């Protein structure tokens, strides 16, 4: 499969987990990628896993840092000459517990990283390449954005806002730029371990497909939404949940 041959992507939060899985699938389909995350060592390992500097570069930094965003876009353009695709995958959830008790500073940080940063990355991608040449964007949301999610309520609020942001951007940036989102349920990553660790079989029992997700389940869907096969799809959020929302599960 080379559905994305000669295209270039930035994937944020891609040193491991869902982000790295997405980057790997894009490379498998012929793309070149810039991966971002906070840790240089983890990013270096990701680049090696993806196939080396011919197909991947890494730019370390915090997703909501404006200087980091500018550097990542500039280095992507310098290395590969275009920026056809953007995956806003970086997300944080530094608190666990009742939403009414969340520290306002922590709440603001969650919204800054999970909502405002994707908007900023989108703006930079538009200005650097997509506004003139076209492109496609996928935001990684969550099923927590659709329904109450006790314990991770502020995270859920941020993901609901990201879904809403996706629809707004799709209207404003069409027809040149398509903007869609995916909303995974629990995916087996380090980020989500608090939701299943030590009780995976019990949690998975609520899923009609009887298993939790893995990064590859998300990566294929994201690659599809970025590709020309989805050229008439914009403003949509694809739920990737093993059927769990059908049964009322988280």
């Amino acid at each position: 499969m080379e559905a994305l041959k000669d295209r270039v992507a930035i994937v944020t939060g891609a040193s491991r987990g869902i982000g790295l899985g997405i980057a790997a699938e894009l490379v498998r389909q012929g793309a070149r990628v810039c991966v971002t995350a906070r840790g240089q060592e983890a990013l270096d390992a990701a680049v090696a896993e993806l196939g080396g500097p011919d197909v991947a570069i890494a730019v370390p930094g915090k997703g909501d840092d404006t200087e980091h965003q500018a550097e990542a876009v500039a280095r992507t353009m310098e290395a590969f000459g275009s920026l056809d695709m953007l995956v806003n995958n970086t997300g944080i959830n530094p608190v666990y517990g009742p939403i009414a008790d969340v520290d306002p500073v922590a709440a603001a940080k969650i919204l800054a990283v999970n909502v405002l940063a994707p908007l900023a990355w989108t703006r930079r991608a538009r200005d650097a390449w997509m506004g003139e040449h076209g492109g496609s964007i996928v935001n990684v949301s969550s099923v927590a954005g659709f329904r109450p999610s006790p314990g991770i309520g502020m995270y859920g609020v941020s993901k609901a806002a990201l879904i809403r942001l996706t629809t707004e951007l799709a209207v404003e940036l069409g027809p040149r730029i398509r903007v869609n989102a995916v909303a995974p349920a629990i995916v087996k990553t380090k980020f989500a371990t608090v939701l299943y660790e030590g009780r995976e079989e019990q949690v998975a029992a609520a899923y009609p497909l009887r298993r939790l997700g893995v990064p590859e389940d998300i990566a294929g869907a994201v690659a599809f939404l970025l590709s020309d096969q989805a050229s008439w799809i914009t403003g949509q959020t694809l739920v990737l949940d093993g059927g769990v929302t059908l049964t009322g599960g988280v």
Side-chain angles (χ1 to χ4, degrees), residues 163-183:
I163 291 169
R164 182 69 179 83
L165 178 65
T166 298
T167 61
E168 200 69 42
L169 288 172
V171 171
E172 291 187 5
L173 299 181
R176 287 188 180 276
I177 304 172
R178 295 185 302 105
V179 188
N180 291 290
V182 294

Side-chain angles (χ1 to χ4, degrees), residues 12-30:
T12 69
S15 62
R16 66 187 185 197
I18 290 174
L20 180 55
I22 292 170
E25 181 62 21
L26 300 186
V27 169
R28 190 181 75 84
Q29 295 197 27

Side-chain angles (χ1 to χ4, degrees), residues 63-152:
D64 60 334
D65 181 80
T66 57
E67 291 184 4
H68 166 61
Q69 295 162 3
E71 180 187 7
V73 170
R75 288 183 56 185
T76 300
M77 293 295 299
E78 180 181 358
F80 300 131
S82 69
L83 177 50
D84 311 288
M85 304 177 291
L86 170 66
V87 180
N88 286 307
N89 174 67
T90 296
I92 63 167
N93 184 41
V95 295
Y96 188 86
I99 190 170
D101 297 330
V102 172
D103 180 82
V105 174
K109 184 65 173 179
I110 290 170
L111 293 173
V113 174
N114 295 4
V115 184
L116 298 181
L119 175 59
W121 282 100
T122 297
R123 184 184 303 116
R124 290 185 182 278
R126 178 201 65 185
D127 294 347
W129 181 265
M130 293 185 187
E132 181 178 354
H133 302 278
S136 53
I137 298 168
V138 173
N139 296 320
V140 179
S141 183
S142 168
V143 294
F146 288 108
R147 59 179 61 206
S149 46
I152 57 171

Side-chain angles (χ1 to χ4, degrees), residues 211-238:
R211 69 173 178 88
L212 303 183
V214 294
E216 291 78 9
D217 293 320
I218 314 307
V222 170
F224 163 72
L225 288 172
L226 291 171
S227 75
D228 289 343
Q229 291 178 308
S231 63
W232 210 43
I233 302 174
T234 197
Q236 303 303 305
T237 298
L238 179 59

Side-chain angles (χ1 to χ4, degrees), residues 1-7 26-31:
M1 291 181 60
E2 289 194 325
L4 303 176
K5 184 175 175 58
D6 297 328
R7 297 189 188 180
L26 300 186
V27 169
R28 190 181 75 84
Q29 295 197 27

Side-chain angles (χ1 to χ4, degrees), residues 42-57:
L43 282 173
D44 290 343
V47 168
E49 182 176 333
L50 291 169
D54 288 343
V55 296
I57 62 170

